[in-house]
Amino acid sequence: MGDQRLSAQRISSAVINRLPRYYRYLGDLLESGITKISSKDLAQKMGTTASQVRQDLNCFGGFGQQGYGYNVEYLHSEISAILGIDNKYKSIIIGMGKLGNAIMQRITFERRGFHVIGIFDNDPAIVGKHLEGYTVLDIAELQSFCKENKPEVAFLTLPRAAAPAMAASLEEYGIKAFWNFSSAYIKLKDPTIPIENVHLGDSLMTLCFRYTNKNRENDKNISG
Amino acid sequence: MGDQRLSAQRISSAVINRLPRYYRYLGDLLESGITKISSKDLAQKMGTTASQVRQDLNCFGGFGQQGYGYNVEYLHSEISAILGIDNKYKSIIIGMGKLGNAIMQRITFERRGFHVIGIFDNDPAIVGKHLEGYTVLDIAELQSFCKENKPEVAFLTLPRAAAPAMAASLEEYGIKAFWNFSSAYIKLKDPTIPIENVHLGDSLMTLCFRYTNKNRENDKNISG
């Protein structure tokens, strides 16, 4: 397994981007009690081709046997190891407004590689509230909390204007990775710190482009 | 401009994926009163290279002048036209729980190409509530609402288990594009209908992979 993990560092970002989807689909199969799957069936679930699936999984040493298919549990656990899901990195959430609330409710952090150890807000109306088994802490306690509990990752669900300064403070307090929902551009002293940006507005504009262009194509076909 | 729109159909999906970011950055520049920008400065804001920026924008006929830079307002409005932002497609939101609430609060739909005309839920505790200027309608009214108001796009913020059947109904009611937050796999009768999936869990696993792999690289450098 060690070798496969190392090989993950040399694979293309296109393959890496598909790994979470493989992991989710395999998890669904496991839950439905399916133990074997062919590259063809896996491809169908992924909306791709069997040859693409074989190529992707070959990047990690290939877990399938010709004419036999993939062992779902084994493949699931190998991809889990490559993604690093078992690390369950200590994480904090900054901003417990509507978005922070929705994230808490929707995401099973432990199954995605993270363990939330504290949730924070600066609004007196929110601080002290109980949410999904946590109590919202005052942002004033953030520095001492980080010193004591050493979280590694921060999820930024606070408003855009407040995000860059907060990210800079968090870097000072020892945060080493960011999940950024604020749609603010985050610039840190250490440029190697991973920042995963979620831009919901960009996703919506992509839909707008796809739908608009589909309609333009149709118009062209009708008129031409 | 007509020609540039048509050329948008032939450009790579990598460029298309960057268009919303160009659009956002140019919008920020406009708001700060900046009227001209060089490809170098735009590249810096985008976290890419000047040559990449020139290449991208050349796909749309090139809006810059050598040694002069880009006219921010013109470029912004051209990209807006390519994305189809001005269409402001009539949209409905299905699911006004925490996630639906957060989306309503965070996204300026009109600036992303959509106009929300109705929001729906099936929970009697939520139906009738007022949110951001809308009243939550009962899902039982969905079919007659669609018949009367002809929305084209649906945003699915309902729970995963309910999403596939709801999407099938919405296709029957005339919905032509979907923004899907449910993390359910949506399969429609018409496979050409655009579905933009937002998988927050995948984004989080990507962060897990990036952080885990960075640490592995560091370990290797220390031990090697």
Side-chain angles (χ1 to χ4, degrees):
Chain A
M1 208 164 73
D3 286 336
Q4 280 143 11
R5 283 196 205 164
L6 293 180
S7 73
Q9 291 155 9
R10 290 189 302 266
I11 60 170
S12 77
S13 64
V15 179
I16 291 165
N17 285 338
R18 282 192 288 271
L19 278 184
R21 276 170 64 209
Y22 279 114
Y23 185 72
R24 264 195 296 118
Y25 285 128
L26 291 163
D28 290 349
L29 292 174
L30 270 185
E31 271 170 32
S32 345
I34 294 167
T35 57
K36 300 258 176 284
I37 189 164
S38 67
S39 48
K40 194 182 144 198
D41 289 349
L42 191 51
Q44 206 158 33
K45 259 193 118 28
M46 292 278 296
T48 178
T49 64
S51 113
Q52 165 101 80
V53 165
R54 283 193 297 267
Q55 226 175 68
D56 282 357
L57 301 179
N58 273 343
C59 293
F60 308 105
F63 308 116
Q65 276 181 273
Q66 198 93 44
Y68 180 80
Y70 294 98
N71 177 318
V72 172
E73 194 176 350
Y74 180 68
L75 190 50
H76 186 259
S77 82
E78 288 294 296
I79 293 180
S80 167
I82 290 164
L83 289 171
I85 302 284
D86 287 344
N87 289 293
K88 304 208 193 312
Y89 298 112
K90 284 195 280 185
S91 310
I92 53 178
I93 307 181
I94 312 294
M96 290 313 302
K98 288 181 173 183
L99 183 60
N101 262 271
I103 300 297
M104 288 287 286
Q105 185 200 40
R106 287 279 177 139
I107 311 276
T108 320
F109 300 107
E110 308 275 335
R111 290 177 62 181
R112 304 296 174 232
F114 301 88
H115 172 54
V116 172
I117 61 169
I119 63 177
F120 292 85
D121 207 288
N122 67 352
D123 181 347
I126 294 177
V127 171
K129 275 198 177 179
H130 302 287
L131 283 166
E132 312 277 337
Y134 294 84
T135 303
V136 182
L137 303 174
D138 192 326
I139 203 80
E141 301 166 37
L142 182 60
Q143 185 167 12
S144 61
F145 181 94
C146 290
K147 206 171 168 181
E148 197 168 323
N149 300 287
K150 301 194 170 36
E152 294 177 74
V153 185
F155 306 159
L156 304 179
T157 47
L158 71 177
R160 181 179 178 178
M166 176 53 68
S169 298
L170 287 164
E171 184 181 14
E172 295 292 325
Y173 305 161
I175 294 295
K176 299 265 179 280
F178 289 86
W179 198 29
N180 176 30
F181 278 80
S182 74
S183 85
Y185 176 63
I186 302 293
K187 202 177 154 73
L188 303 169
K189 282 184 186 165
D190 177 356
T192 72
I193 289 181
I195 305 171
E196 186 72 16
N197 294 300
V198 179
H199 278 300
L200 298 178
D202 285 10
S203 164
L204 194 52
M205 286 193 277
T206 302
L207 179 65
C208 186
F209 174 82
R210 289 173 61 196
Y211 183 50
T212 300
N213 246 48
K214 191 192 163 199
N215 292 339
R216 283 174 190 157
E217 282 288 345
N218 289 344
D219 291 348
K220 226 173 44 172
N221 292 342
I222 291 162
S223 65
Chain B
M1 208 164 75
D3 287 333
Q4 280 143 14
R5 283 195 204 163
L6 292 180
S7 74
Q9 291 156 8
R10 292 188 301 267
I11 60 171
S12 77
S13 64
V15 179
I16 291 165
N17 285 338
R18 282 193 289 273
L19 278 185
R21 277 170 63 211
Y22 280 114
Y23 185 72
R24 266 195 296 116
Y25 285 129
L26 291 164
D28 290 350
L29 293 174
L30 270 186
E31 272 171 30
S32 347
I34 295 168
T35 57
K36 299 258 176 283
I37 190 164
S38 68
S39 49
K40 195 182 144 198
D41 289 349
L42 190 52
Q44 206 158 34
K45 258 192 119 32
M46 292 278 295
T48 179
T49 64
S51 113
Q52 165 100 82
V53 164
R54 283 192 297 265
Q55 228 174 67
D56 282 357
L57 301 181
N58 273 342
C59 293
F60 308 104
F63 309 115
Q65 277 180 273
Q66 198 93 47
Y68 179 79
Y70 294 97
N71 177 318
V72 172
E73 195 177 348
Y74 179 70
L75 190 50
H76 185 259
S77 82
E78 288 295 296
I79 294 180
S80 166
I82 290 163
L83 289 170
I85 302 284
D86 287 345
N87 288 295
K88 304 207 191 315
Y89 298 112
K90 284 194 281 183
S91 309
I92 53 177
I93 308 181
I94 312 293
M96 290 313 302
K98 288 180 173 184
L99 183 60
N101 263 270
I103 300 297
M104 287 286 286
Q105 185 199 42
R106 287 280 176 138
I107 310 276
T108 320
F109 299 106
E110 307 275 336
R111 290 177 60 181
R112 304 297 174 232
F114 301 88
H115 172 53
V116 173
I117 60 169
I119 64 177
F120 292 86
D121 207 287
N122 67 352
D123 181 348
I126 293 177
V127 171
K129 274 196 175 177
H130 302 288
L131 283 166
E132 313 277 338
Y134 294 84
T135 303
V136 181
L137 302 174
D138 192 324
I139 204 79
E141 300 166 39
L142 182 59
Q143 185 167 13
S144 61
F145 181 94
C146 289
K147 207 170 168 183
E148 196 168 327
N149 300 285
K150 300 192 170 41
E152 295 177 72
V153 185
F155 306 160
L156 304 178
T157 48
L158 73 176
R160 181 180 178 179
M166 176 54 67
S169 298
L170 287 164
E171 185 180 13
E172 295 292 327
Y173 304 162
I175 294 295
K176 298 263 178 284
F178 289 86
W179 198 28
N180 176 29
F181 278 80
S182 74
S183 84
Y185 175 63
I186 302 294
K187 200 176 154 71
L188 302 171
K189 282 184 186 165
D190 177 357
T192 71
I193 289 181
I195 305 171
E196 187 72 18
N197 293 300
V198 179
H199 278 299
L200 297 177
D202 285 10
S203 165
L204 195 51
M205 286 193 275
T206 303
L207 180 65
C208 186
F209 174 83
R210 289 173 61 196
Y211 184 49
T212 300
N213 245 48
K214 191 192 163 196
N215 292 339
R216 283 173 190 158
E217 281 288 342
N218 288 344
D219 291 351
K220 226 174 45 172
N221 292 341
I222 290 163
S223 66

